[in-house]
Amino acid sequence: MSQSEANASVARSTDEDRVVVVGLGYVGLPLAVALARSAAVIGFDIDAERIAELSRGQDRTREVDEHALRASRLQVTSDADACAGAAIYIVTVPTPVDGSSRPDLRPLLAATETLARLLDPAARPIIVYESTVYPGVTEDICGPLIERVSGLKRGVDFFLGYSPERINPGDREHSVDRIVKVVAGENDAVTERLAALYGNVTEAGIFRAKSIKTAEAAKVIENAQRDINIAFMNEITQIFAKLGLSTLDVLEAAGTKWNFLKFRPGLVGGHCIGVDPYYLSHCAQSLGHLPRVILAGRSINDGMGTWVADSLHSRRESRIGSVLVLGVTFKEDVPDLRNSKVVDVVKRLRWLGHDVTLHDPLADAGAAREEYGLTLDADALDRRYDVVLAAVPHLSYRRMDAATVAALVEEDGLIADLHGIWRGQALPDGLQCWSL
């Protein structure tokens, strides 16, 4: 079959063609459930325990509720062979960085090798990547790998596409069915096939990027831009702290200007904002360009946890004491512990000699222990501490009244409220209060 004939066969694909979503985490599961409303979808994950949980209607990420999961037509499996011969494979595995902050493509390449063995050239399958990468990974790394493992020819036996994920864990407003979906294929027929597939999912519309590399670049700068803006907020926070000013007070005033960008300071972790800029900087350096702004922003944000701990220590006049840290996940109202910068605060406080107790109503205690060696104390709210640090503004913490907050702190203690969740509370006289 010629390439033009192969392209035409892609365009003739029907909505009944099987779709396989590879990776059922925070990104893959909501996408698979949404796709299953209009297509035959198999969700594949190498974690057999995760598949067992999903089969029971349980989602540990809390991105899909039990009712929606049980009602879905989605099939889930950890058996790769059950995914053979599909028309479309969508890869949503993590793309982390290694200990030296360099892109770690091992999960992506492992998933690519697995699906390469499942391809049926008669189906003219499309392999779509949603994982965040730097421009060129899909076509220059993944495509050749598929060819080597499968023995098939790209552009004839299989085709490549890219559609960057935009999942924001815990965000019920910007869910996968309410956001604009960017799609790009290696040719127009693939792009249109992906536009039709994702068009059945989202009500916000489809944007056809000029090329796969364009779509890859768009994704990686989305989070890099946010990282840089937050880094500016964190730097001015450190400046204003020396002036005795509250950054939150300053931002309230500055925010009255119509074109002021309303970012806030804080701990920047997670699987996207704290990671993606390193993919862009790696790409830049491989081209001989030193990405000064991107790396400066990362440096500021990576050091924010240590700065917070040192600030608390200084406000206590270097007195060693007991510290309760409320929240250890990377953001509010999610159980996700990946790349949580609260861990940096805890490590620094302990290095300074403080006795630190951790509490989080959403984080999995086993995961916290396994990933970071941290112990969560479910009964931590029954005692008093020299310092109470509201590190993550979970809903249960935001709902605490003044009496509840005060009951956690010794009479001459310090309340450190990073996000200003208790700024409106009339706390007892004598308590020190500090926020960014």
Side-chain angles (χ1 to χ4, degrees), residues 309 313 320-321 323 325 343-358 372-376:
H313 187 66
I320 305 303
V323 181
V325 175
V343 176
D344 295 348
V345 181
V346 173
K347 288 181 177 179
R348 182 68 171 181
L349 286 171
R350 286 178 172 168
W351 183 85
L352 291 168
H354 296 278
D355 178 18
V356 182
T357 300
L358 306 175
Y372 302 111
L374 301 178
T375 300
L376 302 183

Side-chain angles (χ1 to χ4, degrees), residues 83-128:
C83 305
I88 298 178
Y89 293 86
I90 303 176
V91 181
T92 66
V93 299
T95 43
V97 293
D98 63 18
S100 299
S101 297
R102 295 173 300 192
D104 181 0
L105 295 177
R106 288 177 297 176
L108 186 73
L109 299 181
T112 298
E113 286 194 37
T114 296
L115 68 84
R117 298 186 179 95
L118 306 174
L119 302 182
D120 178 1
R124 303 292 181 262
I126 301 172
I127 295 89
V128 190

Side-chain angles (χ1 to χ4, degrees), residues 157-391:
D157 300 315
F158 72 90
F159 302 85
L160 295 177
Y162 189 80
S163 181
E165 62 89 1
R166 284 174 166 172
I167 292 293
N168 183 24
D171 188 339
R172 298 297 177 257
E173 179 181 355
H174 301 99
S175 54
V176 68
D177 55 344
R178 296 177 181 173
I179 57 175
V180 174
K181 205 72 173 75
V182 174
V183 300
E186 64 175 83
N187 58 48
D188 290 343
V190 173
T191 299
E192 291 309 312
R193 179 72 181 98
L194 297 181
L197 176 71
Y198 286 109
N200 287 330
V201 171
T202 179
E203 61 188 39
I206 300 296
F207 181 89
R208 295 162 176 81
K210 293 293 185 181
S211 66
I212 288 176
K213 287 185 175 67
T214 298
E216 290 171 324
K219 169 56 185 175
V220 79
I221 71 165
E222 288 173 6
N223 286 328
Q225 180 191 67
R226 185 167 178 79
D227 189 51
I228 291 166
N229 278 302
I230 297 174
F232 174 67
M233 292 294 136
N234 282 337
E235 185 163 52
I236 64 171
T237 294
Q238 296 175 26
I239 296 170
F240 293 158
K242 295 179 182 296
L243 294 171
L245 294 174
S246 163
T247 302
L248 298 182
D249 288 342
V250 174
L251 292 179
E252 282 184 352
T256 60
K257 188 181 181 185
W258 65 92
N259 60 352
F260 185 80
L261 302 179
K262 297 184 179 181
F263 288 89
R264 293 168 68 96
L267 302 174
V268 184
H271 64 294
C272 288
I273 299 178
V275 172
D276 295 355
Y278 286 123
Y279 276 71
L280 183 56
S281 64
H282 171 83
C283 178
Q285 291 175 82
S286 71
L287 298 170
H289 177 82
L290 178 63
R292 288 167 292 182
V293 173
I294 297 168
L295 291 178
R298 271 289 77 223
S299 177
I300 292 170
N301 288 340
D302 277 346
M304 194 62 178
T306 296
W307 182 83
V308 167
D310 288 347
S311 297
L312 296 181
H313 187 66
S314 175
R315 285 185 168 273
R316 290 287 298 166
E317 298 178 342
S318 301
R319 289 175 292 163
I320 305 303
S322 58
V323 181
L324 171 63
V325 175
L326 298 176
V328 296
T329 60
F330 90 88
K331 65 174 289 187
E332 68 274 14
D333 301 329
V334 300
D336 197 347
L337 288 163
R338 287 176 295 174
N339 194 31
S340 171
K341 293 304 178 181
V342 178
V343 176
D344 295 348
V345 181
V346 173
K347 288 181 177 179
R348 182 68 171 181
L349 286 171
R350 286 178 172 168
W351 183 85
L352 291 168
H354 296 278
D355 178 18
V356 182
T357 300
L358 306 175
H359 180 272
D360 195 303
L362 298 182
D364 181 82
R369 185 167 49 253
E370 181 178 346
E371 293 184 36
Y372 302 111
L374 301 178
T375 300
L376 302 183
D377 188 343
D379 300 320
L381 303 185
D382 297 333
R383 300 186 294 277
R384 287 181 177 268
Y385 304 86
D386 297 311
V387 178
V388 172
L389 168 61

Side-chain angles (χ1 to χ4, degrees), residues 14-186:
T14 69
D15 289 338
E16 294 306 313
D17 288 333
R18 279 197 308 157
V19 177
V20 173
V21 176
V22 180
L24 296 176
Y26 285 84
V27 174
L29 181 64
L31 175 65
V33 170
L35 287 168
R37 296 176 191 140
S38 57
V41 182
I42 298 176
F44 170 73
D45 200 290
I46 59 174
D47 186 347
E49 183 179 347
R50 171 72 167 155
I51 294 301
E53 291 176 357
L54 295 177
S55 298
R56 296 192 298 268
Q58 301 171 352
D59 173 25
R60 70 180 75 154
T61 70
R62 304 191 183 194
E63 291 300 305
V64 179
D65 64 44
E66 183 175 340
H67 174 74
L69 193 53
R70 290 184 180 276
S72 175
R73 297 192 303 161
L74 173 68
Q75 301 177 50
V76 295
T77 183
S78 58
D79 179 9
D81 291 338
C83 305
I88 298 178
Y89 293 86
I90 303 176
V91 181
T92 66
V93 299
T95 43
V97 293
D98 63 18
S100 299
S101 297
R102 295 173 300 192
D104 181 0
L105 295 177
R106 288 177 297 176
L108 186 73
L109 299 181
T112 298
E113 286 194 37
T114 296
L115 68 84
R117 298 186 179 95
L118 306 174
L119 302 182
D120 178 1
R124 303 292 181 262
I126 301 172
I127 295 89
V128 190
Y129 290 89
E130 290 213 2
S131 305
T132 301
V133 293
Y134 52 85
V137 169
T138 299
E139 294 170 290
D140 301 337
I141 297 178
C142 295
L145 177 59
I146 295 172
E147 288 186 321
R148 288 198 301 272
V149 174
S150 68
L152 303 178
K153 184 178 180 181
R154 174 189 159 192
V156 176
D157 300 315
F158 72 90
F159 302 85
L160 295 177
Y162 189 80
S163 181
E165 62 89 1
R166 284 174 166 172
I167 292 293
N168 183 24
D171 188 339
R172 298 297 177 257
E173 179 181 355
H174 301 99
S175 54
V176 68
D177 55 344
R178 296 177 181 173
I179 57 175
V180 174
K181 205 72 173 75
V182 174
V183 300
E186 64 175 83

